[in-house]
Amino acid sequence: MEDYNKIIESLGVKFVKARHIRILQPITIKNFYDVQNSLTILYDGEVSFGSEESQKVEEGDMLFIPGGKHATVTYGNTATAKTVSNEEFMTNRDNYIEAGHDPALIGKLPNSFGLISFEAKVFDTVNFFTSLDVPPFLIKRDDQIAATINQILTEDMLDTPGKGRIIKIKTEEVVIEIIRYILKNKLFVEQLVTNSTYFKDPRLIDIFAYIKDNLGGDLSNKVLANVANVSEDYVGQYFKMLTGINPQDYIEYQRMEKAVDLLRTSKKSIRAIGSDVGYKDTAYFCRRFKMMFGIPAGKMRRRESLMNV
């Protein structure tokens, strides 16, 4: 347990967004994907997830989707839901959902849910839930987490002094409660045992930090080997043994995550953003971006994020 306390103490949590959503038309979104973690609480109606064996979210339950994980999500009745891609949904989402802005109506509208999105990074470099390879999962009714989500939604809708500080504190509480829920219910035991060991290895933390600070530069295995002071032939095996993925896949995810952040927060051209994150060939960057997110980079910029309505 002490190891998890150390991990929690090292977590940097960043609030991204909060939305109170009403479902206008039942939809099934194939390959739901976002770089941030999302937690959805169902207030009324139907939500389910999973493609082969769909799992239903009961009212009051919460669906947690780690950042970087593809998922199939249905909002509304599965029998009548229209199946759409991420791109279709983001282009025409006003036909399917609408966001509420009245805190008095949180949890009181028919066919509605609340959603918060956040980052959780160890040592400000490693996406915690993604690194553990935790799949989307259900959190059964938990009054404490539910109350905290409602407080975040309310604060986000109001223009009151200190709202940013309150939201930050409450988002950190949500992240800790999710970790406690995983441990208490002994979820993903194998993943936790296998994929949490690297937090104890300073050489790997050095690699993570170097990647973060040099996304636009040379991140070949030769360079990473020098950072970790291991052989070039061994560094890929070493990285995968501790994290479960090879270093170049991890690097591409980090580059794409940074690209999304730049698309959402800067006015740089797509060519410049691609170059900033290490892609000198803009066409190749755009192909890889669409392959990962299911939507062109230009549309990601215009729409900003899946639930930003």
Side-chain angles (χ1 to χ4, degrees):
M1 195 58 66
E2 182 61 28
D3 288 339
Y4 291 110
N5 284 330
K6 291 179 181 178
I7 292 170
I8 290 171
E9 288 300 316
S10 71
L11 275 178
V13 177
K14 178 184 176 182
F15 169 79
V16 177
K17 62 179 177 285
R19 298 289 181 266
H20 183 218
I21 304 292
R22 187 165 72 92
I23 303 166
L24 301 178
Q25 177 183 339
I27 52 165
T28 295
I29 305 171
K30 292 287 187 181
N31 292 325
F32 174 104
Y33 189 99
D34 203 348
V35 296
Q36 279 88 32
N37 308 287
S38 66
L39 184 63
T40 297
I41 179 170
L42 179 61
Y43 295 126
D44 180 80
E46 296 183 30
V47 170
S48 57
F49 67 103
S51 53
E52 295 181 0
E53 294 184 9
S54 181
Q55 189 171 355
K56 187 176 180 181
V57 182
E58 302 290 344
E59 292 179 9
D61 291 349
M62 287 155 273
L63 169 60
F64 177 65
I65 302 179
K69 287 290 182 182
H70 287 277
T72 296
V73 184
T74 299
Y75 299 109
N77 189 293
T78 55
T80 59
K82 176 183 177 182
T83 300
V84 300
S85 64
N86 266 357
E87 184 173 357
E88 158 68 15
F89 174 69
M90 294 178 74
T91 301
N92 300 295
R93 63 185 165 196
D94 290 346
N95 296 330
Y96 307 117
I97 61 174
E98 68 175 3
H101 304 284
D102 184 351
L105 297 179
I106 293 174
K108 298 179 180 179
L109 296 176
N111 298 310
S112 66
F113 61 90
L115 176 142
I116 63 169
S117 178
F118 56 88
E119 292 180 354
K121 294 187 175 182
V122 181
F123 307 115
D124 198 33
T125 57
V126 185
N127 291 289
F128 176 67
F129 295 105
T130 306
S131 70
L132 293 181
D133 197 27
V134 173
F137 68 92
L138 197 61
I139 297 177
K140 300 302 292 182
R141 181 182 290 269
D142 186 305
D143 292 340
Q144 182 168 344
I145 300 179
T148 306
I149 292 173
N150 290 348
Q151 288 175 307
I152 292 172
L153 289 169
T154 299
E155 288 287 340
D156 193 56
M157 291 179 187
L158 300 174
D159 187 20
T160 52
K163 68 179 261 185
R165 185 70 179 273
I166 293 294
I167 288 174
K168 181 179 185 298
I169 292 170
K170 294 298 178 183
T171 305
E172 289 179 344
E173 288 182 16
V174 167
V175 172
I176 293 171
E177 289 300 330
I178 292 172
I179 296 172
R180 286 178 173 177
Y181 186 90
I182 290 172
L183 296 175
K184 178 182 177 182
N185 291 278
K186 295 181 172 58
L187 301 177
F188 321 117
V189 174
E190 184 176 343
Q191 290 98 316
L192 291 175
V193 171
T194 302
N195 298 325
S196 63
T197 55
Y198 66 80
F199 293 117
K200 305 171 188 177
D201 193 319
R203 294 177 300 175
L204 196 59
I205 299 304
D206 287 343
I207 292 179
F208 286 138
Y210 187 87
I211 291 171
K212 178 190 174 186
D213 294 337
N214 296 276
L215 285 175
D218 181 5
L219 292 174
S220 63
N221 280 5
K222 181 178 181 179
V223 170
L224 299 184
N226 288 334
V227 172
N229 195 26
V230 298
S231 72
E232 182 180 352
D233 292 337
Y234 178 64
V235 70
Q237 178 185 345
Y238 163 76
F239 191 97
K240 187 169 184 178
M241 177 178 64
L242 292 177
T243 66
I245 58 174
N246 70 61
Q248 295 309 314
D249 286 345
Y250 174 81
I251 289 165
E252 180 169 56
Y253 175 80
Q254 294 302 312
R255 282 174 163 161
M256 288 302 179
E257 182 184 53
K258 181 63 177 178
V260 169
D261 181 62
L262 290 171
L263 285 166
R264 291 173 173 172
T265 61
S266 78
K267 295 183 179 180
K268 290 185 175 183
S269 68
I270 291 175
R271 178 185 296 274
I273 289 173
S275 179
D276 284 351
V277 299
Y279 292 87
K280 306 310 177 187
D281 184 333
T282 304
Y284 179 70
F285 165 68
C286 290
R287 287 198 302 272
R288 295 301 298 170
F289 190 97
K290 185 173 182 181
M291 185 176 295
M292 182 170 288
F293 298 111
I295 185 171
K299 283 193 176 181
M300 177 71 80
R301 158 164 279 164
R302 289 194 295 273
R303 294 296 182 174
E304 187 188 309
S305 61
L306 189 63
M307 288 298 177
N308 187 24
V309 293

